[in-house]
Amino acid sequence: MIRSTLLLVACMGATFSTTTSAQDLRPLPSDTPLVIGHRGASALRPEHTLASYAKAIEDGADFIEPDLVSTKDGALVSRHENEIGGTTDVAAHPEFAARKTTKTIDGHAIEGWFTEDFTLAELKTLRARERLPELRGTAFDGQFQIVTLDEIIDFAAAEAAARGRVIGIIPEIKHPTYFQQHGLAMEAKVLATLQAHAYTRTAPVVIQSFEVANLKQLHTLLGTTHPNIKLLQLTSAPDEKPGDVLAAGGSQTYAQILSAKGLREVATYAQILGPSLRSIIPLDAQQQLGKPTAVVRDAHAAGLQVQPYTFRPENYFLPKDKREGDAPATRHEAGSIAEMRAFLDAGVDGFFTDDPALGRAAVDGWRKP
Ligand code: G3P
Ligand code: CA
């Protein structure tokens, strides 16, 4: 299977033209924590649109993050989940009304419209909507298309050339087992797409997944021939299991992955750990930042970098001691920066934030304790 996948990667790569090279651009700092624009600058623009990625880059993100799902015709598009009712205007398109359905994704029954039931051309007729309108407003709804990984790479390459600095791309493969089971596996296509663009043949790229088996497969496929591409193991709630483990009836939980032994195993196929914030610094009984766990220390001991998710500036998401007033939608920028700096003090090597300008401020004004 691996040999045929490699052949697919090689063939697909040969058919694409090249884009801007990253080799002459100012590289990412190697000794400074990295700021990752989570779904772009999703606190300020509808997530996973070029406008969101543009804002992230303008605001100083080192990396931009596309989450990837597949269309019916196998295109890789940037959405946080394959159900698109929550983040597009698909419900307002009568021509797609009959495609509303209920599916079981990673063990959860979900009702809505699903990317794998649409061609790329059909998805291009939709427009993005804000996921959290009650917190972030709707000023940009209806303006922006769903975009492909190809388009995002071209955009990042053009922005990098215009700004004279490298912009990393950190795609996450969403619901890997689900798409594999539906004949729409994304892993080889992601590699082929990266290989097809001159920019991503040299620029920093990190591929993320909440699953384990596909990262191990990617590790094998990459071998030692793509030094610019790293792999990141995401972890979720301690008692949950990765989708591939769940599908195989396995017992491995994220708590086991986050143990010292589990992290040493992760380091055999990935270079970076992406835990949730609360796996690094949990909240105490007062909903304030508590004491750091052993995860950063154990991950570093295993040779892994640590890049947790996700810092968000609204009161609703902040620890109680970092909020301003009680209104959930109030942005408390100083509180968010203070929260990020607590994590920098705890030793993280980078982080995902919905508001990269605040992430940039947190890193640029921080000194290692
Ligand atoms: O990939 C880091 C973070 O984005 C993981 O959570 O659900 O926002 O994709 P999610
Ligand atoms: Ca993600």
Side-chain angles (χ1 to χ4, degrees):
M1 188 184 84
I2 287 173
R3 206 170 52 188
S4 61
T5 308
L6 280 169
L7 194 62
L8 172 68
V9 170
C11 291
M12 292 179 77
T15 62
F16 287 83
S17 61
T18 58
T19 57
T20 309
S21 166
Q23 276 160 338
D24 300 327
L25 304 171
R26 191 169 77 250
L28 291 176
S30 57
D31 54 352
T32 306
L34 294 168
V35 177
I36 303 166
H38 184 243
R39 314 181 197 171
S42 53
L44 305 169
R45 299 289 184 276
E47 66 187 41
H48 291 315
T49 59
L50 285 190
S52 186
Y53 299 128
K55 183 68 177 151
I57 294 166
E58 180 190 328
D59 286 352
D62 296 305
F63 277 79
I64 53 172
E65 192 223 15
D67 290 322
L68 298 177
V69 293
S70 181
T71 67
K72 185 180 185 175
D73 46 352
L76 301 172
V77 293
S78 187
R79 292 285 95 191
H80 179 261
E81 56 273 302
N82 48 338
E83 198 290 305
I84 49 174
T87 60
T88 73
D89 61 1
V90 65
H93 284 250
E95 70 274 26
F96 298 136
R99 298 201 201 169
K100 189 173 186 184
T101 185
T102 300
K103 301 194 183 197
T104 301
I105 318 285
D106 296 342
H108 302 284
I110 297 171
E111 185 184 33
W113 292 261
F114 296 85
T115 56
E116 65 271 24
D117 297 331
F118 291 75
T119 64
L120 176 60
E122 287 172 335
L123 287 181
K124 283 286 186 183
T125 67
L126 307 180
R127 293 295 178 269
R129 295 175 56 178
E130 172 56 50
R131 174 188 295 276
L132 304 170
E134 65 290 354
L135 295 180
R136 295 174 172 174
T138 56
F140 295 97
D141 280 12
Q143 298 185 31
F144 309 120
Q145 286 188 344
I146 290 178
V147 284
T148 65
L149 179 59
D150 277 311
E151 290 169 328
I152 294 165
I153 294 170
D154 283 343
F155 182 73
E159 285 284 307
R163 293 168 188 275
R165 70 174 177 96
V166 160
I167 295 156
I169 303 177
I170 179 165
E172 180 190 340
I173 299 175
K174 283 294 187 190
H175 312 301
T177 294
Y178 175 84
F179 280 107
Q180 289 160 19
Q181 289 170 343
H182 288 75
L184 292 168
M186 290 184 277
E187 287 73 17
K189 289 177 188 168
V190 170
L191 293 189
T193 305
L194 296 170
Q195 199 55 26
H197 292 259
Y199 185 71
T200 41
R201 287 202 286 270
T202 55
V205 172
V206 177
I207 303 174
Q208 324 164 65
S209 179
F210 277 105
E211 295 193 3
V212 173
N214 69 329
L215 287 177
K216 289 183 173 174
Q217 181 200 11
L218 286 164
H219 172 69
T220 304
L221 289 171
L222 287 167
T224 55
T225 56
H226 298 81
N228 65 312
I229 302 178
K230 293 181 178 162
L231 300 176
L232 183 152
Q233 176 71 65
L234 289 163
T235 59
S236 187
D239 58 337
E240 289 182 9
K241 296 172 186 171
D244 56 317
V245 173
L246 202 62
S251 61
Q252 187 185 38
T253 62
Y254 287 116
Q256 290 168 337
I257 293 175
L258 287 168
S259 69
K261 183 175 172 222
L263 292 170
R264 286 194 294 275
E265 163 68 14
V266 172
T268 64
Y269 60 85
Q271 294 76 40
I272 308 169
L273 176 74
S276 71
L277 296 183
R278 303 304 161 222
S279 296
I280 304 292
I281 306 183
L283 298 181
D284 63 17
Q286 285 72 45
Q287 298 299 300
Q288 303 183 6
L289 285 185
K291 266 182 61 178
T293 67
V295 168
V296 171
R297 184 197 65 203
D298 291 344
H300 284 170
L304 293 165
Q305 292 200 330
V306 182
Q307 298 175 357
Y309 67 90
T310 302
F311 292 109
R312 296 175 161 131
E314 296 90 359
N315 274 342
Y316 181 83
F317 298 108
L318 289 169
K320 211 164 187 178
D321 53 322
K322 302 289 186 279
R323 296 177 195 160
E324 183 174 51
D326 294 324
T330 298
R331 288 167 54 88
H332 189 211
E333 300 187 352
S336 185
I337 290 170
E339 185 188 21
M340 291 186 250
R341 288 198 179 142
F343 280 73
L344 294 172
D345 288 347
V348 303
D349 304 286
F351 53 80
F352 293 80
T353 173
D354 286 2
D355 195 331
L358 303 184
R360 187 77 273 146
V363 169
D364 290 352
W366 173 78
R367 293 292 167 267
K368 208 169 187 163

